[in-house]
Amino acid sequence: MVAITLPDGSVRQLDGPVTGTALAENISKSLAKKAIAMRVDGVVADLFDPIDRDARVEILTRDSGPDALDIIRHDTAHLLAQAVQELFPGTQVTIGPNIENGFYYDFAREEPFSTDDLARIEKRMAEIVDEDRPTRKEVWERARAIEHFLSIGEKYKAEIIRDLPGTEEIKIYYHGNWHDLCRGPHLPSTKHIGKAFKLTKVAGAYWRGDQNNAMLQRIYGTAWASEADLKDYLHRLEEAEKRDHRRIGKEMDLFHFQEEAVGQVFWHPKGWTLYRTLESYMRRKIAANGYKEVKTPQLMDRKFWEKSGHWENYRENMFVAEVDEGGEEKRTMSLKPMNCPGHVQIFNQGLRSYRELPLRIMEFGSCHRYEPSGAMHGLMRVRGFVQDDAHIFCMESQIGSEAKAFIALLFSCYQELGFAEPLVRLSTRPDKRIGSDEIWDKAEAALAAAAESIGVRAVLNPGDGAFYGPKLDFVVKDAIGREWQTGTLQCDFNLPNRLGAEYVGEDGGRHVPVMLHRVILGSLERFTGVLIEHYAGKFPLWLAPEQAVVATIVSDADPYAREVEALMKAKGLRVDADLRNEKINYKVREHSLAKVPVIAVVGAREAAERKLSLRRLGSEKQEVVDLDAALSALAAEATPPDLK
């Protein structure tokens, strides 16, 4: 007998061993029909696996969350491989893992796949689902598995099996007669996959990511638990494409990139206006909360980075320069990837007293980090960027109050920038780190307690802390539900000690301060990209790089248009006059494509009556308003939220 404890706490005594299939039938026939896998003592397993001991077991269905979705996507990757090999004999399969929102499979085939091929493959995948091919698992010895896959022309599979670490036993999953090396688990049959899947694109990929190896063809796809979920995802994809900051940036003439400066932004006048508006807003918010702004060097000696620990732990991401100063040896310098060590140097100038703590210093610090060329993605991933970076030097007893004040400031900024309350994650110690476990215990506990003290529930994110300390990461959701990790608060007991930071305590002794690293926006470049996509370029008036255009209908209205432009500028509005000899519909369409929030249309009648016909972005209606009233209303709307 085996005692099976179910999620509701009830226990079933069954003759063992018992499979998940039998257990589901024992619980209810309806559950047996929906069952796709099981979780045994926390480990997800195949439904047909035997349970030969007392265990806690949960039967999983399509609605069982991330674990179920992972299995569905894994099976859909196998389904894709089956369809491809049936439609294109001779194609070799390599690897097909799950990824965020879907899966991919890499194939070795000389002739490239076309868009038309994707439609054929999808159709065949649906047919295989209808065929309800059963799944079974076999365990082979490594030598047998290698010999088998070589015998059927699958050299890539044989290489994978040869290089697998550890066990000599290899899991082979069959779906009907088609089979693949796989860790599992899998669905009971292809019918359980359903048809909530879509192939999305074809791309090239090198075998094992090495450019010296063969070029493969990668087919990407997405799969979901229901047709409704798939439809929602495809809609989000469509919306994301419309909101792509690179496309909108071009339409609005905000910025560009070019090969001569990989990963660095060429800001155009309108884009720089947007950037500086955001920067000015943050400068005011931070100054109002007791921070002193500083500026530190971008290029510093290697010895400095060795002492801070960056050379050992972050060297691969740093830009290094050799400087010939006339001596026998060249001097090794590095562009700063972070601002924190420089801020410690400012703290170290003079002997500090506990009465000066907390000391809050901030910098719009220009940093450079080497990101792989394939990782570049518009403003979202660059090599040169500016952070709204600040560091709080405090006593251990002040961590809680400082963390609380920072989180309140961060929440305020996000709300005023148009985001709902962020998610909060507590990222704990990584494998590669400095400092003792005792210090890490203390730092992690301090951050967890600080978040809890103000009612913020932090989700644990194990192993994702910085190499010098744990952190609270803040994640905002944009208008279409995508998550962006932006702000962070890091508790560091290590770096101040390494760099010799000290203060005189109330007891007259020397003490090492705690250093709280914190950003709200993070990279201003990246956050600008997030804002562009969040608003789809349709910014609130205070953020818009060009807030209004005064567009004339007839040339007789030109003098009035220039007067309106001057009056708007006097009110602090960013405005231009469009006096071109073009039809008004053409002007309106052009400025609407450029995402100008307000178009003030003026003709002979508006000039005579000293009025404006105001047209808002996205609206077909025009509102005729007295000039003075329009000026006052627009000036109030264009005032940044922190100044209202």
Side-chain angles (χ1 to χ4, degrees), residues 74-195:
H74 201 167
D75 273 68
T76 312
H78 278 210
L79 180 66
L80 165 62
Q82 292 175 69
V84 165
Q85 290 199 307
E86 290 179 9
L87 290 172
F88 306 99
T91 301
Q92 291 188 63
V93 292
T94 62
I95 59 170
N98 290 0
I99 55 175
E100 185 180 8
N101 296 322
F103 59 91
Y104 69 78
Y105 218 112
D106 287 347
F107 300 95
R109 180 171 179 259
E110 290 187 8
E111 187 178 347
F113 292 112
S114 67
T115 304
D116 291 340
D117 289 335
L118 292 188
R120 288 180 61 200
I121 295 167
E122 268 190 28
K123 181 181 177 184
R124 184 63 190 131
M125 290 168 70
E127 291 168 353
I128 295 172
V129 169
D130 289 336
E131 291 170 12
D132 194 17
R133 297 179 182 179
T135 301
R136 75 177 193 277
K137 176 172 61 179
E138 295 184 5
V139 179
W140 294 357
E141 291 182 354
R142 186 190 298 263
R144 175 192 173 189
I146 293 172
E147 181 181 355
H148 169 77
F149 280 102
L150 285 175
S151 72
I152 61 174
E154 296 283 5
K155 67 175 185 179
Y156 294 97
K157 286 293 178 187
E159 184 177 330
I160 292 170
I161 296 167
R162 184 197 68 203
D163 295 342
L164 283 174
T167 179
E168 291 297 313
E169 293 185 335
I170 306 298
K171 291 181 184 178
I172 304 295
Y173 278 86
Y174 279 81
H175 308 283
N177 291 325
W178 188 90
H179 53 286
D180 196 3
L181 154 78
C182 195
R183 70 182 187 278
H186 279 284
L187 302 171
S189 73
T190 57
K191 177 187 71 175
H192 290 81
I193 298 172
K195 296 180 181 178

Side-chain angles (χ1 to χ4, degrees), residues 222-290:
T222 187
W224 297 85
S226 70
E227 292 282 354
D229 289 344
L230 173 63
K231 185 177 179 180
D232 287 346
Y233 173 71
L234 295 176
H235 175 69
R236 291 198 304 273
L237 273 187
E238 185 180 343
E239 276 297 306
E241 187 175 349
K242 292 177 184 176
R243 292 168 179 267
D244 191 315
H245 71 281
R246 296 166 297 180
R247 182 178 66 80
I248 293 174
K250 188 173 183 179
E251 291 174 354
M252 295 180 69
D253 191 24
L254 301 179
F255 57 84
H256 81 274
F257 295 88
Q258 60 190 65
E259 284 300 312
E260 291 79 2
V262 175
Q264 298 181 84
V265 190
F266 290 82
W267 290 103
H268 298 190
K270 291 180 182 178
W272 191 238
T273 297
L274 171 61
Y275 186 99
R276 291 300 298 274
T277 300
L278 183 61
E279 182 185 61
S280 297
Y281 164 77
M282 290 307 304
R283 178 172 274 116
R284 292 191 304 270
K285 292 286 287 189
I286 292 169
N289 282 267

Side-chain angles (χ1 to χ4, degrees), residues 390-506:
H391 295 90
I392 303 168
F393 296 89
C394 64
M395 296 181 285
E396 192 173 335
S397 61
Q398 295 170 323
I399 292 174
S401 59
E402 287 301 305
K404 181 176 180 179
F406 167 70
I407 296 171
L409 170 60
L410 177 140
F411 276 38
S412 169
C413 291
Y414 288 171
Q415 181 182 29
E416 291 177 347
L417 288 166
F419 296 99
E421 186 173 300
L423 306 174
V424 184
R425 294 175 181 151
L426 174 59
S427 298
T428 57
R429 68 197 73 184
D431 292 334
K432 190 175 181 180
R433 61 182 184 269
I434 59 177
S436 67
D437 286 342
E438 181 183 1
I439 287 176
W440 278 86
D441 289 341
K442 190 187 300 184
E444 288 170 357
L447 283 188
E452 187 177 347
S453 70
I454 59 172
V456 173
R457 181 180 174 272
V459 178
L460 194 63
N461 187 20
D464 202 41
F467 72 84
Y468 46 78
K471 55 183 179 171
L472 290 175
D473 288 326
F474 300 89
V475 181
V476 297
K477 281 191 176 183
D478 68 13
I480 59 173
R482 295 173 300 179
E483 294 185 352
W484 304 93
Q485 195 270 307
T486 49
T488 188
L489 173 65
Q490 303 170 359
C491 185
D492 185 358
F493 285 81
N494 288 303
L495 193 61
N497 187 50
R498 290 178 72 105
L499 295 179
E502 290 182 335
Y503 69 92
V504 178
E506 191 172 7

Side-chain angles (χ1 to χ4, degrees), residues 582-592 615 622:
E582 299 284 358
K583 291 183 178 179
I584 190 61
N585 287 342
Y586 176 86
K587 293 181 181 181
V588 168
R589 183 167 60 252
E590 187 175 73
H591 295 304
S592 296
R615 185 167 186 152
Q622 288 190 168

Side-chain angles (χ1 to χ4, degrees), residues 333-358:
M333 310 283 285
S334 174
L335 286 170
K336 65 177 178 182
M338 301 175 184
N339 302 296
C340 29
H343 289 187
V344 178
Q345 305 313 303
I346 292 176
F347 180 88
N348 285 350
Q349 296 304 298
L351 186 59
R352 302 284 180 178
S353 164
Y354 72 94
R355 294 187 179 89
E356 298 177 70
L357 305 183

Side-chain angles (χ1 to χ4, degrees), residues 323-331:
V323 181
D324 188 350
E325 295 187 331
E328 293 183 3
E329 294 185 5
K330 291 185 177 180
R331 189 174 186 181

